[in-house]
Amino acid sequence: MYDDGYDHAAVERRWQEAWDDASVYRTPDEVEDPTYVLGMYPYPSGQLHMGHVRNYTITDAYARYRRLRGDDVLHPMGWDAFGLPAENAAKERDTNPRDWTFDCIETMKDQMASMGFGYDWDREIATCTPRYYKWNQWLFRRFLEEDLAERRAADVNWCPDCETVLADEQVEGEAELCWRCDTPVETRELEQWFLKITEYADELIDYIDGLEGWPDSVRQMQRNWIGRQEGTRLAFDVSGPDEEYGGVEAFTTRVDTVFGATFFALAPDHPISEELIETDEAVHEFVHHEADPDGDEPNGVETDLTATHPVTGGELPVFVADFVLSDVGTGALMGVPGHDDRDHAFASKMGVDIEPVIAPEPEDGEPGAPDVSEAAFVEDGVLVNSGEYSGLESAEARERLTEDIESAEHGTQYRLRDWGISRQRYWGTPIPIVHCPDCGPVLVPEDELPVELPEFINTTGNPLDAAEEWKRTTCPECGADAERETDTMDTFVDSSWYFLRYVSPDLEEAPFDRERANDWMPVDQYVGGIEHAVMHLLYSRFVTKTLADHEGLQHREPFTNLLAQGMVQLEGEKMSKSKGNVVSPQAIVEEYGADTARLFMMQAAQPERDFDWSEQGVASANAFLARLKDVVEVYADGEIETTDERDPTADYVEGEIEAAVAVAAEEYDELVFNTAVREAQSLVGTLRRYREAGDVRADTFERGLSVSLRLLSPVAPHICEELWETLGHEGFVVDATWPEADADRDTIEKRRRLVENTREDVRQIIDVADIEDPERIDIVVTPEWKHEALGVAIDSDAPNVIGELMEHDSIKRHGEAAADYGQQLQENREALQRTLDPETELEALRAAAWLIEREFDTTVRVLAAAEAGDDVAAKAEPSRPAIDIVE
RNA sequence: GCGAGGGUGGCCGAGUCUGGACAAAGGCGGCGGACUUAAGAUCCGCUCCCGUAGGGGUCCGUGGGUUCGAAUCCCUCCCCUCGCACCA
């Protein structure tokens, strides 16, 4: 017969070469609007890991499915090829980032090929090539021209040892250590380039509602990240013994609590605080030695300034406090300890008054001020102790106060900051700027792009700073000696538009072909890890919107449907090198083959869920493919006895074929690969049972096999391709057409349930009645009139259905039986369900009889009611045939 | 703390949107049987409890509610995961 497994290496190599030779994954530029299926391009680390394999198996399977459905498909791949790891690796190996990166790309490309991923490699991009990063520079120019980029001073994470800026993600833990050298990170103020993503904050948050093809979690994370807050800006006049500071703006979402403001607080780096540091010893001491913005305790120091309450005119003490953050709101706040937990803690500690001005909504009568001595009352309610505003509800008071207070106006705050893209690193896109002593920062003219990276210099700090020759240039404006900008761009710039470059990867005149992009975009199905929920996906949305506003792109969102795939774990834990619990995809491919690895991953769980890697699961996927191969080959070799006759068993198998097609299509459409695959696998099981039950009808069996192969080919393409050929089909299964099926799911499910329930009942009877060796089993389908009665009962809205039933002669003439059944229907009135009609029921059971015969090794008769004895038939009900077992 | 998602049988995992045929798909593990000299593979069953003709009981984190009927809808609480967080 066959042994476990098959020569997957030979099969897979063969078809990979054949696909390649035939360019089956090529998407010609002429196609009108291909289904754009995209996996997030990888950083070329040199090794494909399980996360990649899962990610790209999902896109590959979906792309293949769409092809079967007749779509043109765009399924490209590229490399997120810039980034610090290449610099580190180059230093360690005494090479340079470029060579190291291209080595890695080559390796990973081979690994992808060995997985059978079908990409249009003619559209491959690598962001570290000048022909790609030229367009980063071009985009930077456009940003600057449209006033969407600017250079300004900013606080950044600085590692004194590596002498470079670190992104927030590269600062580890509470202690804030550099991820590379564990040196404590410092804050440093540097001149940095920013892209003004905040200009799009409102659109970025508002459009989230329209991203219905995105997971809620990602949408929520983006909303949080943008963090829009509606509130009120209002000014407090601040003055000291010797100085007037005028109105100092504070932002609050709770202006309704303004009468409870008992202090005013400034961030340690607020301009006024910085002035006080010079003159006030206590403030100096506090800011430099005591302030601990990361601590849980709110700390502060009282100043000799006072703030004037904008409504009451009262004098409030002014503090410099470490819980006030300069990048939140205005860096100054009104303290309302009665109604804010943090203000309450601070006031208690500093001995500031705590006044209740909001009362809980009273059940009846007058609102009573809550006791806020121990804890703040933070909810909305009714104003008290608030002068003419007392008695108003919080929401209304907010509006009135914002209107009435002279310095107050409605304000919106965002958590989102502008996107700092400067990196003091070598392996990235050079920012196309020349610093001229006279003209300042000047853009490199378009016709001089790209500004290419110089040779790598192995040095501490930024290699571009050390590239003296490269740095030296002349000012494009005045021609004077000048220096190049030595910062490079954040690699998220590269990935914020790469999906557009695939549309026209070789275009020399523009980053993308506008017309084709308008036709092909947006990406129909994007797939990647949840770790990109905010950064990459938000930047991509932002850049897409700027291109829509300034470059004629007719799409404001880049990704219609997004799938955040789950993790592949080992014993419930994330696979990681440091834990040493990594399963290598290459090892699996070698041992079992790519098809097995892909099949196992897709059947293990829904794509968005985490799941555990399981050796048994892999083995069982492999065993399945071996069985599939066996049954196809045995059939193709003519070793299965066939007949031309159509019998009920063939009907059954055909029904299952239709069902499998219908169900699998629905599941593939929704990317629920696990259930789609299960359906295909169970069809193969059915075919194998069919074959074992006796002679098979050739047409039916062959169609079953051919359908199985097509349903499985998106997930296990190589073996299906091989067997497609074995079956004698011309052409590739990749290019095949999805089988037609005219079954609806409701009927499929009812039929299957009827058959299952009936088999179940037979087993139970035999077991409970202790029947050793049944001689014959009769299954008797319900008489027509009961179906009719059921229908009448479902449609009826009479209080008692029996009367209505008896108006039908066809029912009435069954006398007592009709009355009994009517009674039963009446009792279950609310629970009645439509069933299959009697003919379909009979046909479904006849078709399934062989399963029962086979199981109990006996004769099974499926009879219409008229063909059976009344005593037996009487027990039958719709969807519940009578069963008579003769011992 | 705020927000999102989730808690299903020995384990994994469907079902929850759109309440009914749900003791609850499928897989894994375990048990029994067939085949085999045997093992493996394959095939057929069983795998909450009771039951000599398809029956009954209990059950889907907890406690309540809505309904003729709840794993599914509503509320309470508990627990887990993720994101954000001295955010004014």
Side-chain angles (χ1 to χ4, degrees), chain A residues 112-125:
Chain A
M112 285 183 178
S114 77
M115 290 303 305
F117 298 143
Y119 297 119
D120 181 353
W121 286 113
D122 288 355
R123 296 182 181 277
E124 177 181 7
I125 57 170

Side-chain angles (χ1 to χ4, degrees), chain A residues 304-381:
Chain A
D304 55 6
L305 310 182
T306 53
T308 308
H309 192 288
V311 188
T312 66
E315 302 252 291
L316 306 181
V318 175
F319 293 83
V320 173
D322 62 359
F323 68 87
V324 186
L325 308 177
S326 60
D327 61 348
V328 175
T330 61
L333 61 81
M334 67 173 200
V336 185
H339 302 286
D340 181 276
D341 288 329
R342 189 206 43 233
D343 292 351
H344 191 278
F346 185 72
S348 305
K349 183 171 169 176
M350 306 304 287
V352 178
D353 291 347
I354 303 173
E355 306 283 356
V357 294
I358 303 289
E361 198 80 47
E363 300 279 311
D364 54 347
E366 287 297 299
D371 177 8
V372 290
S373 57
E374 291 303 316
F377 174 72
V378 298
E379 263 141 71
D380 275 8

Side-chain angles (χ1 to χ4, degrees), chain A residues 796-819:
Chain A
S796 159
D797 40 21
N800 191 317
V801 75
I802 297 176
E804 201 161 317
L805 290 175
M806 293 308 169
E807 287 168 20
H808 296 255
D809 273 343
S810 51
I811 298 171
K812 189 182 176 187
R813 67 191 169 83
H814 294 277
E816 206 167 320

Side-chain angles (χ1 to χ4, degrees), chain A residues 100-118:
Chain A
W100 186 79
T101 300
F102 281 110
D103 277 354
C104 287
I105 289 176
E106 205 184 315
T107 314
M108 285 177 80
K109 203 169 163 180
D110 285 348
Q111 292 172 347
M112 285 183 178
S114 77
M115 290 303 305
F117 298 143

Side-chain angles (χ1 to χ4, degrees), chain A residues 4 44 112 131 189 196 237 323 437 504 542 544-545 597 600 744 778 783 786 852 886:
Chain A
D4 50 330
M112 285 183 178
R131 52 194 282 263
E189 192 176 288
K196 296 185 187 172
D237 278 323
F323 68 87
S504 48
F542 161 56
T544 301
K545 289 174 192 303
F600 164 65
D744 77 283
D778 284 349
K786 280 195 181 171
I852 302 171
V886 182

